[in-house]
Amino acid sequence: MNIAAMTTTETLEVRLDRRLVVIVRLARCMSVSVFTTVLSLGVLMVLTTAYSWSATVANVAATAVGTVPSYVLNRRWVWGRRDSSDPWREVVPFWVLSFSGMVLSTAAVGVTDAWATSVGLSDGVRTVAILVANVSAFAGLWVIQFLVLDRLLFGRTEASSPAEP
């Protein structure tokens, strides 16, 4: 095999390796999102049904509860970062990103709650509507979150490839 062919083959292998890393990161990030969404929705559901909290206040609490494991799992498991966290380069931007999603989801939850109440939906149907509003708002931001985490926060070094399963 000549040198030009080797270089082309090696370049193709590097591209495939990079694509595989992105696919693994996407899958892991989605898994973290599913886990933290279930956690947050559980908190939201309990607070709105069992404790009769307003949907907007419960959504803020639920988002805060889900953000902590989301940060840790994304940083360590998805991006394989084991060094100490940088508060200004990672923690604060992650929380800003998470709470930007919370603002959008809280608005969606508030509007949905007001609508559900105005049309007289039962408590169970109202709760389902609130949960759907929450998930819809966060789902719309998920792709943006992945890109920010990958390009700016956690994926900025070659050493940060996903940890082995």
Side-chain angles (χ1 to χ4, degrees), residues 12-143:
L12 180 60
E13 288 174 2
V14 168
R15 285 185 191 156
L16 289 174
D17 287 344
R18 286 184 185 153
R19 286 185 181 153
L20 181 59
V21 166
V22 170
I23 290 168
V24 169
R25 283 182 180 162
L26 277 167
R28 287 183 178 191
C29 191
M30 181 66 73
S31 298
V32 168
S33 293
V34 167
F35 169 73
T36 57
T37 298
V38 169
L39 175 65
S40 295
L41 289 178
V43 170
L44 180 60
M45 185 173 65
V46 167
L47 294 177
T48 57
T49 58
Y51 294 101
S52 300
W53 284 27
S54 75
T56 52
V57 173
N59 193 60
V60 171
T63 300
V65 168
T67 298
V68 174
S70 179
Y71 175 81
V72 172
L73 290 170
N74 272 303
R75 189 175 192 282
R76 290 181 167 255
W77 187 55
V78 177
W79 277 272
R81 303 287 302 230
R82 301 281 188 256
D83 54 333
S84 60
S85 294
D86 183 318
W88 294 109
R89 287 184 56 136
E90 294 176 352
V91 178
V92 170
F94 188 89
W95 277 81
V96 167
L97 186 62
S98 294
F99 279 88
S100 295
M102 181 208 60
V103 168
L104 179 62
S105 71
T106 299
V109 162
V111 167
T112 301
D113 187 31
W115 169 80
T117 302
S118 73
V119 297
L121 295 181
S122 68
D123 286 344
V125 175
R126 175 183 156 267
T127 299
V128 169
I130 289 168
L131 297 177
V132 168
N134 177 281
V135 170
S136 298
F138 276 108
L141 294 173
W142 187 85
V143 172

